[in-house]
Amino acid sequence: MTKENPFETAKQQIDIAAKKLNLDKDIVEWIKTPRRELIVNFPVKMDDGSIKIFTGYRVQHSIARGPCKGGIRYHPDVTLDEVRALATWMTMKCAVLNLPFGGAKGGVICNPKEMSKEELERLTRRYTSEISMIIGPERDIPAPDVYTNSQVMAWIMDTYSMNKGYSTLGVVTGKPLGLGGSKGRNEATARGCVFTIREAAKKMGIDLKKATAAIQGYGNAGSIAAKLLHEMGVKVIAVSDSKGGILNENGIDPVDVLKHKEKTGSVINHPRCKNITNEELLELECDILVPAALENVITSKNAHNIKAKIIAEAANGPTTPEADKILNKKGVFIIPDILANAGGVTVSYFEWVQDLQAHFWTEDEVNAKLENCMVESFNDVYEIHEKENVDMRMAAYMLALTRVADAIKTRGVFP
Ligand code: NAD
């Protein structure tokens, strides 16, 4: 991982696309500046009776197009600038998908792997109380991110509701199904990503039934993308997790590999596959590469050796800006993160809509609406890519910035 400041990267990406669009300098400055930033330092009673002070953030980047939306991350390395960057990217992602939201993100500096469930619950409830004056179904709707899950979302919903005096399902998304969660949310990121791969393959004349894929990361996004690609007839030849990767040129069965991972703790050492490294996986001869783990894994060091024709960024920020240039020169078709992994926030939007209406949809309805959103957004971005002769990432930023700038200009400056 490079040590770049992610917020600086996010602002640079906006500057480059804004220049291409000839956007007014004042509007660009406005878009780049997060609207509201809350820092909270709060005590939590630990299991051993001690009291520990934690620091948390909630950054609301933009409310230009609607309430804010974005996940909450629990990680020892959380910084204000990281949260600002992630909030900025959420604004862009929501605008690419034309969802009526601006971006936000939250984070607490902590190591959930070293905390008990009870400590995590007390931390979550206190953090929720601390930020509750700025969140709400009409203001800012959090969701899960790294090391937070549906249980954490349930605690947030309960804490917010207890303070209000009534149950407020729409304050947070990614909740358990029995507490106002949406069918299809768990698979949404991978499903959305696979829709964009299918559309890219159509444009490139690639027959998915004859195509091969390699997938880095075998968690929520990676393992489900592998399963869905396999069901579409794509031959998945390699997958990996933090311990390493596996390869079988004749194809692997993703469901069987998931069972192996559940039993042994990793995808590696599968009886019908050869072990490979994560670095080797990225450079394999294949048609589709899906980075679905960490940021900054495709860099100027390995970009020259990448052989895939399509890279679908299920992970956030897997490609460094230098690698991006190299890959574009080589003619690799990159489906950028703010489009490729936007299925998650799209079904989060559906969850919020269902909660507000207290009327829940079938899984088929959710998936059909997700498909419509992903295909339409892919085509919107592709049209700009063709018309303006820019890569797909630049096209996605141009689309997002146009929509955010239009909203800002039409609303005007208060007072
Ligand atoms: P996850 O925790 O479920 O899975 C992450 C996977 O990455 C695990 O298999 C882990 O072993 C693997 N991994 C960790 N370190 C690795 C390394 N050094 N090399 C290779 N693999 C490694 O997480 P997820 O929800 O699947 O998220 C993966 C990526 O997708 C993240 O960048 C996340 O921000 C992005 N994303 C996820 C969603 C979502 O809804 N899940 C939505 C948008 C974006």
Side-chain angles (χ1 to χ4, degrees):
M1 285 205 299
T2 63
K3 291 263 180 261
E4 279 161 28
N5 178 330
F7 187 45
E8 292 306 320
T9 307
K11 287 191 287 188
Q12 277 167 27
Q13 288 164 332
I14 291 178
D15 275 335
I16 298 167
K19 203 164 157 206
K20 186 91 189 157
L21 287 166
N22 230 346
L23 277 185
D24 185 329
K25 255 174 46 201
D26 296 345
I27 297 286
V28 178
E29 218 36 55
W30 186 349
I31 293 177
K32 284 194 300 188
T33 312
R35 184 172 192 278
R36 191 183 271 150
E37 304 180 339
L38 182 61
I39 303 175
V40 291
N41 301 305
F42 56 92
V44 176
K45 254 194 208 141
M46 307 307 279
D47 290 346
D48 64 4
S50 65
I51 294 169
K52 209 171 153 190
I53 307 295
F54 289 88
T55 297
Y57 307 100
R58 185 71 187 170
V59 172
Q60 297 178 340
H61 176 259
S62 169
I63 57 161
R65 290 170 41 84
C68 297
K69 186 94 194 75
I72 291 174
R73 177 172 292 197
Y74 288 174
H75 198 278
D77 299 336
V78 164
T79 65
L80 181 55
D81 269 350
E82 181 189 57
V83 179
R84 285 172 169 149
L86 290 163
T88 309
W89 287 323
M90 282 306 296
T91 299
M92 298 299 130
K93 201 180 288 185
C94 291
V96 170
L97 267 286
N98 219 356
L99 306 178
F101 290 133
K105 207 80 182 192
V108 178
I109 306 170
C110 64
N111 189 349
K113 286 186 179 168
E114 289 173 0
M115 295 171 71
S116 70
K117 191 175 175 195
E118 290 70 28
E119 288 171 339
L120 273 178
E121 178 175 354
R122 289 194 289 274
L123 176 136
T124 301
R125 288 185 182 279
R126 181 64 191 240
Y127 170 67
T128 305
S129 275
E130 295 286 335
I131 65 165
S132 66
M133 76 278 268
I134 64 165
I135 63 169
E138 277 126 17
R139 295 176 168 191
D140 178 1
I141 307 108
D145 191 68
V146 175
Y147 294 150
T148 56
N149 54 22
S150 58
Q151 174 62 78
V152 174
M153 299 306 115
W155 289 327
I156 295 176
M157 189 277 280
D158 184 69
T159 306
Y160 185 87
S161 298
M162 290 305 99
N163 286 333
K164 286 277 165 201
Y166 51 88
S167 289
T168 313
L169 299 183
V171 66
V172 70
T173 60
K175 298 182 296 297
L177 271 182
L179 284 177
S182 176
K183 293 202 168 118
R185 173 63 186 89
N186 190 43
E187 300 79 15
T189 301
R191 193 177 293 281
C193 183
V194 168
F195 286 140
T196 64
I197 292 171
R198 185 190 70 192
E199 295 308 301
K202 267 190 222 162
K203 300 282 185 201
M204 297 173 75
I206 294 174
D207 178 359
L208 285 181
K209 297 224 158 24
K210 293 186 189 142
T212 53
I215 297 163
Q216 184 188 49
Y218 218 62
N220 174 274
S223 70
I224 300 174
K227 181 172 163 273
L228 295 174
L229 284 171
H230 178 75
E231 284 170 8
M232 278 170 93
V234 174
K235 193 196 282 179
V236 178
I237 58 165
V239 300
S240 72
D241 60 27
S242 58
K243 302 212 170 84
I246 51 170
L247 167 72
N248 182 341
E249 268 132 11
N250 296 320
I252 60 172
D253 173 357
V255 176
D256 181 46
V257 170
L258 191 60
K259 280 189 199 142
H260 173 77
K261 183 175 165 74
E262 278 162 4
K263 208 161 78 189
T264 66
S266 173
V267 298
I268 60 168
N269 300 327
H270 187 278
R272 284 177 294 286
C273 299
K274 187 177 123 187
N275 282 344
I276 56 169
T277 64
N278 262 295
E279 291 71 32
E280 286 169 332
L281 178 137
L282 294 171
E283 298 178 10
L284 285 176
E285 194 82 53
C286 64
D287 299 299
I288 304 156
L289 176 63
V290 184
L294 300 176
E295 64 272 29
N296 294 343
V297 292
I298 304 175
T299 67
S300 54
K301 291 205 182 88
N302 60 4
H304 287 290
N305 301 330
I306 283 179
K307 298 170 193 77
K309 298 185 185 81
I310 297 174
I311 297 179
E313 294 182 338
N316 279 312
T319 312
T320 66
E322 310 84 68
D324 220 24
K325 280 187 211 141
I326 298 166
L327 292 167
N328 280 318
K329 234 186 221 160
K330 278 170 62 139
V332 179
F333 188 89
I334 303 176
I335 312 169
D337 46 8
I338 57 171
L339 172 63
N341 69 34
V345 69
T346 302
V347 177
S348 267
Y349 163 58
F350 297 162
E351 180 176 331
W352 177 74
V353 169
Q354 293 171 78
D355 289 338
L356 295 187
Q357 297 180 339
H359 176 71
F360 291 86
W361 309 343
T362 65
E363 189 160 352
D364 285 348
E365 279 177 279
V366 171
N367 290 344
K369 287 184 206 290
L370 172 64
E371 181 170 8
N372 271 345
C373 285
M374 295 306 301
V375 172
E376 202 171 298
S377 305
F378 180 93
N379 286 329
D380 287 346
V381 174
Y382 192 83
E383 205 181 299
I384 298 173
H385 154 72
E386 291 247 284
K387 208 165 119 203
E388 302 291 335
N389 195 22
V390 294
D391 61 70
M392 287 289 281
R393 192 182 315 279
M394 171 74 102
Y397 270 88
M398 287 168 71
L399 176 63
L401 277 180
T402 303
R403 286 177 173 162
V404 176
D406 278 353
I408 283 179
K409 283 191 260 184
T410 314
R411 285 176 69 154
V413 182
F414 174 84

